[in-house]
């Protein structure tokens, strides 16, 4: 099961603050984007993990129980995957900034990171915006078992469908671990998970804004583009 949080629950501090390289779309590509058609992918929703101190005491078995509890919560409270909304936001921004147009084909359904397969799935469009959600993890504090923090992540790949090349890419991780006054379980899940949904939305918006600046380079100084470092929230 491809899920960010299965790893992060085991070692949250190790994964929380590492910088991840990113690739900005080069100038020459953006100049040629006017009139290009853009599709974005549709992916299966990854798991959510809901950990408690009781589950944490049982190691991998507890993580499995946390995944089951998190997925049940997703179903019961209808918690959406943020990836489609972020992809649509990025498309609208690219429309305004670079003159791309939405492709007429429906979002291709994919469940792979293989670039050749992604490019093939995007046939019928010029560009493919592949936004992949890495899931969400709800974890308790080691020194305060009654309060919780949220970690989530997204990946963006911009693929030139004709050449099969990735022309822009970044990974974003967000965490509320150091927020003041973290919620307890009742607060987090009240009103069909209203607070949890708003926290997920805020973290996905932060990732979208990161992708806009560092991959699409909207609002960033124009010039030679290449690898950079993705800032993280922690």
């Amino acid at each position: 099961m491809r899920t960010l949080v299965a790893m992060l629950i085991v070692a949250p501090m190790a994964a929380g603050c590492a910088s991840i390289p990113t690739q900005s779309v080069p100038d020459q590509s953006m100049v040629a984007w006017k009139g290009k058609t853009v599709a974005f992918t549709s992916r299966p929703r990854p798991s959510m993990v809901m950990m408690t101190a009781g589950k944490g005491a049982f190691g991998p078995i507890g993580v499995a129980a946390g995944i089951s509890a998190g997925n049940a919560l997703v179903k019961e409270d209808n918690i959406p995957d943020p990836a489609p909304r972020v992809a649509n936001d990025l498309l609208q921004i690219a429309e305004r900034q670079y003159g791309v147009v939405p492709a007429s084909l429906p979002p291709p359904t994919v469940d792979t990171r293989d670039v050749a397969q992604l490019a093939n799935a995007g046939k019928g469009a010029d560009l493919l915006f592949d936004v992949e959600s890495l899931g969400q993890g709800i974890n308790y504090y080691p020194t305060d078992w009654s309060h919780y923090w949220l970690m989530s992540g997204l990946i963006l790949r911009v693929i030139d469908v004709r050449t099969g090349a990735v022309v822009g890419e970044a990974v974003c991780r967000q965490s509320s671990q150091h927020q003041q006054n973290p919620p307890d379980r009742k607060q987090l899940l009240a009103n069909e998970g209203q607070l949890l949904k708003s926290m997920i939305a805020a973290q996905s918006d932060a990732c979208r804004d990161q992708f806009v600046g560092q991959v699409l380079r909207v609002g960033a100084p124009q010039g030679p583009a290449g690898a950079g470092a993705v800032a993280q929230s922690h």
Side-chain angles (χ1 to χ4, degrees), residues 38-64:
V38 176
F40 54 83
T41 54
S42 173
R43 288 178 169 273
R45 195 200 194 289
S47 291
M48 174 183 287
V49 178
M50 175 70 191
M51 291 300 294
T52 63
K55 294 183 182 72
F58 291 95
I61 295 175
V63 172

Side-chain angles (χ1 to χ4, degrees), residues 48-51 55 64-74 76 185:
M48 174 183 287
V49 178
M50 175 70 191
M51 291 300 294
K55 294 183 182 72
I67 292 172
S68 179
N71 288 340
L73 184 63
V74 167
E76 290 166 7
R185 182 187 176 95

Side-chain angles (χ1 to χ4, degrees), residues 30 93-94 97-98 209 211-220 222:
M30 288 183 168
I93 291 165
Q97 187 73 15
Y98 300 113
D209 293 345
F211 296 152
V212 167
Q214 296 188 332
V215 179
L216 300 185
R217 300 168 63 208
V218 176
Q222 298 299 300

